[in-house]
Amino acid sequence: MSERSVLMIYTGGTIGMVKGPRGYEPAPGRFMQMLQRIPSFQDPEQPPGVTPVSRHGQRIHYTMLEYQPLLDSSNMGMGDWVRIARDIERYYDDYDAFLVLHGTDTMAYTASALSFMLENLSKTVIVTGSQIPLSEVRNDGDDNLLDALLIAGHYDIPEVGLYFRSRLFRGNRTRKIDASGLEAFGSDNAPPLATVGIEIDIAWDTIRPPSGEPFRITPITNPNVATLRLFPGITDSILENFLRPPLAGLVLETYGAGNAPDNRANFLAALRAASERGVVIVNTTQCSRGEVVAAYAAGTALAEAGVVPGSDMTTEAALTKLAFLLSQDLEPAVVRRLMPESLRGELSNTTHEGRFGFQEKAFVNTVADALFARTPERRSEVEQALYPVLLCSAASLGDLKGLRRMYDGGADPTAADYDGRTALHLAAAEGHAEVVSFLIARGATVNAKDRWGATPLYDAVQNGHEDAADRLLEGGAEVSVDPAVLCTLASQGDSEGVHRWLKYGADPSTRDYDGRTPLHLAAVEGHLQTVRVLLDHGADRSARDRWGTTPADSAQAGGHRTVQTLLADG
Ligand code: ASN
């Protein structure tokens, strides 16, 4: 049996409310008592806050941190987001995972905000709540909370998730989509991170890898952001007023794939003027699914007015991301550049998106789970053992995306497998020139030697990949040719191989242990073309081996008259 600890930060929301004279209201100090009475949350043999052992052999210890006052989430603001982030920071080392119990009304905002503020997260953080209070006989709080607690108590999902009604979503992809139904949250542009049925099914390949950097928080402190949902007939003066100081960032919810009127000069002029003043304006769609694309003139006009595309971000994510970036000391131009880039998996289709897919991580995690390597240290050992193999396999397949993902996820660019083969060896041997350049740029060891002494350049040249070889030379690869290589190729009559090696700096007059040069070996076997190539590259036709034999003598001994004549001619 193993144990994990979870901190439950109880901020308020319907989940813990009880019926009062004015309707449902928070009930301070009651939540933990309610949980204690539910057998799945409390093992009767254990002190308060300890679950029974799960069927995976795990016992979860949970502690409740109850906020004062407990809030209906409609009453929450940026300060409350920061308070939660700071509490997670304060207790980060003391718990394995964190649950945030929260009202549903603004839960998607809080989850998005937390996803940005919690940087380099390596532990599971799940925000959850319910539509019907736990105090009611029929409620959805019981399941939501227990499932979220079990996920937090078993899995390392280094993201801010939002759990509701059998699904764990990436928090910054969610929206509250139903005011009455129990399936209150949706994530139309990103699949769930986990689905709970008979089994808990974690979609490991969608989960972002931990960065490996130390955890820290960057609080959201700039409140001067807003959202504006366009509607047909919005007047120029309303827009102008909206854009006035102190506004620093605006999420403009446009029509369809990112369109706004392009037949109203003043409307666009107002946006342009605000952009020029430094207001960062982001274009998101009013649709719940799909993304902003540059397909229509009506959208292009916005881009020309300085509005940046928000891809498929939700309004909640775009707004909190804007606030997060504007809370740091960044130039508007930098904020504009970062808005369309994925920072925490909040949007798709960016140049960095690949790094968050991380199928390899999923594989590593599966192996780690199979080995019961639950602690970060043990996981890291598994990672260190597997990465070199995964890197080599990706390199030999020319899988640049996979390599980029692994390096972005912290893999060591100099890692070698048990034969001393590095990703660079494999990319060179297979002639994946692009990959070779990428690996060199990422700090791979250019002259790494495998256990047989072969360097990446050797592999590239030997396998006839001149493009890859050229890139290695540009990257500082040194030519060091085993004399036996040229002699072997010459005696096999591999004129192309010989030519290639000579081109990449091999010495044409190198000698084997009997003092024979490649020319001797090609001559004795009668390889005319190879002999020509060697002569063209200045091979010494008068070289004598340990018995005093010249290449011409060798040709004669082998009965190769044409070769003999060619060698004698000079
Ligand atoms: N008004 C509640 C809240 O957001 C709604 C809920 O939690 N279901 O706090």
Side-chain angles (χ1 to χ4, degrees):
M1 189 193 66
S2 58
E3 314 207 324
R4 260 167 83 106
S5 60
V6 176
L7 179 65
M8 281 189 193
I9 301 177
Y10 172 34
T11 70
T14 298
I15 191 164
M17 291 188 188
V18 294
K19 216 175 223 134
R22 299 183 62 231
Y24 287 132
E25 55 189 21
R30 295 269 302 276
F31 200 87
M32 198 61 178
Q33 291 167 6
M34 283 194 264
L35 291 186
Q36 239 90 102
R37 288 199 289 268
I38 306 174
S40 335
F41 284 95
Q42 182 60 53
D43 184 332
E45 315 273 281
Q46 295 288 323
V50 182
T51 65
V53 178
S54 77
R55 75 183 162 100
H56 299 293
Q58 188 97 337
R59 206 194 268 291
I60 304 163
H61 293 248
Y62 57 94
T63 308
M64 179 84 62
L65 176 64
E66 182 172 309
Y67 278 10
Q68 260 284 17
L70 290 166
L71 292 174
D72 184 299
S73 74
S74 320
N75 289 320
M76 289 175 97
M78 287 183 180
D80 298 298
W81 304 340
V82 175
R83 178 177 181 192
I84 300 168
R86 290 214 185 282
D87 279 331
I88 292 175
E89 181 188 39
R90 180 170 313 137
Y91 297 108
Y92 195 73
D93 294 332
D94 303 333
Y95 293 89
D96 296 312
F98 300 85
L99 280 192
V100 180
L101 309 188
H102 196 287
T104 56
D105 287 344
T106 65
M107 190 186 282
Y109 286 91
T110 302
S112 298
L114 287 175
S115 79
F116 297 114
M117 289 189 289
L118 307 180
E119 298 196 57
N120 306 319
L121 197 57
S122 63
K123 299 188 174 186
T124 311
V125 175
I126 301 177
V127 188
T128 193
S130 71
Q131 293 280 69
I132 310 174
L134 208 65
S135 56
E136 291 286 351
V137 175
R138 186 178 68 84
N139 75 79
D140 59 331
D142 197 336
D143 278 350
N144 284 348
L145 185 53
L146 184 63
D147 291 347
L149 180 63
L150 288 175
I151 294 174
H154 283 80
Y155 303 96
D156 286 322
I157 300 176
E159 299 224 28
V160 176
L162 184 153
Y163 187 81
F164 226 86
R165 197 72 174 165
S166 308
R167 286 176 301 174
L168 178 72
F169 300 111
R170 175 170 297 146
N172 57 33
R173 291 297 202 141
T174 58
R175 277 187 154 151
K176 184 166 180 181
I177 53 166
D178 200 331
S180 331
L182 300 184
E183 215 158 287
F185 286 87
S187 162
D188 277 338
N189 285 331
L193 303 179
T195 310
V196 175
I198 290 177
E199 299 292 337
I200 295 178
D201 201 357
I202 311 284
W204 286 113
D205 56 346
T206 62
I207 290 168
R208 288 161 39 79
S211 69
E213 300 293 315
F215 172 75
R216 60 156 195 222
I217 69 160
T218 300
I220 290 179
T221 51
N222 190 336
N224 298 317
V225 291
T227 63
L228 175 61
R229 187 177 169 93
L230 280 190
F231 53 91
I234 181 172
T235 65
D236 298 339
S237 67
I238 285 182
L239 180 66
E240 278 158 21
N241 275 303
F242 212 91
L243 291 167
R244 284 214 179 137
L247 190 75
L250 177 71
V251 179
L252 190 64
E253 290 190 41
T254 59
Y255 310 126
N259 304 316
D262 67 343
N263 59 355
R264 288 175 42 194
N266 290 345
F267 178 87
L268 292 168
L271 292 172
R272 190 175 311 111
S275 297
E276 280 164 10
R277 282 202 313 273
V279 178
V280 179
I281 310 174
V282 184
N283 186 357
T284 64
T285 174
Q286 295 180 7
C287 300
S288 54
R289 198 172 313 142
E291 63 182 319
V292 165
V293 290
Y296 295 94
T300 309
L302 281 180
E304 283 164 2
V307 178
V308 291
S311 180
D312 59 352
M313 263 187 292
T314 61
T315 304
E316 291 86 338
L319 183 90
T320 52
K321 182 175 176 180
L322 252 186
F324 166 73
L325 292 172
L326 290 169
S327 298
Q328 301 168 52
D329 205 9
L330 301 172
E331 292 292 322
V334 177
V335 177
R336 285 195 190 103
R337 181 171 57 71
L338 292 173
M339 281 308 291
E341 284 192 20
S342 167
L343 303 182
R344 309 279 190 270
E346 73 281 8
L347 56 83
S348 321
N349 294 336
T350 70
T351 46
H352 292 306
E353 186 55 21
R355 85 190 248 194
F356 301 125
F358 221 60
Q359 285 105 359
E360 296 77 15
K361 190 73 183 179
F363 174 67
V364 172
N365 278 336
T366 309
V367 175
D369 278 344
L371 296 172
F372 294 101
R374 300 211 198 282
T375 62
E377 295 75 27
R378 292 280 290 122
R379 273 182 189 262
S380 148
E381 280 169 27
V382 174
E383 252 174 52
Q384 293 321 314
L386 291 178
Y387 263 145
V389 183
L390 293 173
L391 289 168
C392 285
S393 110
S396 92
L397 293 169
D399 177 7
L400 198 55
K401 232 172 126 187
L403 286 166
R404 186 172 283 134
R405 275 200 300 268
M406 285 188 269
Y407 286 128
D408 287 346
D412 175 5
T414 64
D417 74 4
Y418 36 80
D419 280 333
R421 308 273 295 156
T422 65
L424 193 57
H425 280 99
L426 275 300
E430 296 297 332
H432 299 304
E434 286 286 296
V435 175
V436 166
S437 296
F438 166 81
L439 292 170
I440 294 173
R442 285 296 178 105
T445 312
V446 179
N447 292 307
K449 286 201 166 121
D450 68 14
R451 62 186 284 213
W452 303 279
T455 62
L457 180 63
Y458 173 88
D459 285 344
V461 177
Q462 190 67 356
N463 291 294
H465 302 304
E466 300 198 4
D467 202 4
D470 289 342
R471 297 198 189 203
L472 284 160
L473 286 180
E474 280 164 29
E478 286 156 17
V479 186
S480 79
V481 194
D482 176 353
V485 171
L486 206 58
C487 291
T488 307
L489 291 172
S491 90
Q492 289 166 347
D494 182 346
S495 59
E496 281 180 22
V498 168
H499 183 259
R500 233 179 2 252
W501 271 115
L502 294 171
K503 181 173 160 200
Y504 287 98
D507 174 6
S509 302
T510 181
R511 286 165 184 275
D512 71 6
Y513 41 82
D514 282 332
R516 283 177 302 185
T517 65
L519 204 52
H520 283 96
L521 294 155
V524 75
E525 300 292 344
H527 299 307
L528 186 61
Q529 185 54 26
T530 306
V531 168
R532 284 212 178 95
V533 168
L534 285 161
L535 289 176
D536 287 350
H537 283 81
D540 178 8
R541 64 180 77 217
S542 59
R544 289 181 183 276
D545 66 13
R546 60 186 281 215
W547 302 282
T549 312
T550 64
D553 299 338
S554 300
Q556 187 183 23
H560 306 297
R561 297 203 58 97
T562 328
V563 175
Q564 188 192 351
T565 318
L566 179 67
L567 286 166
D569 273 356

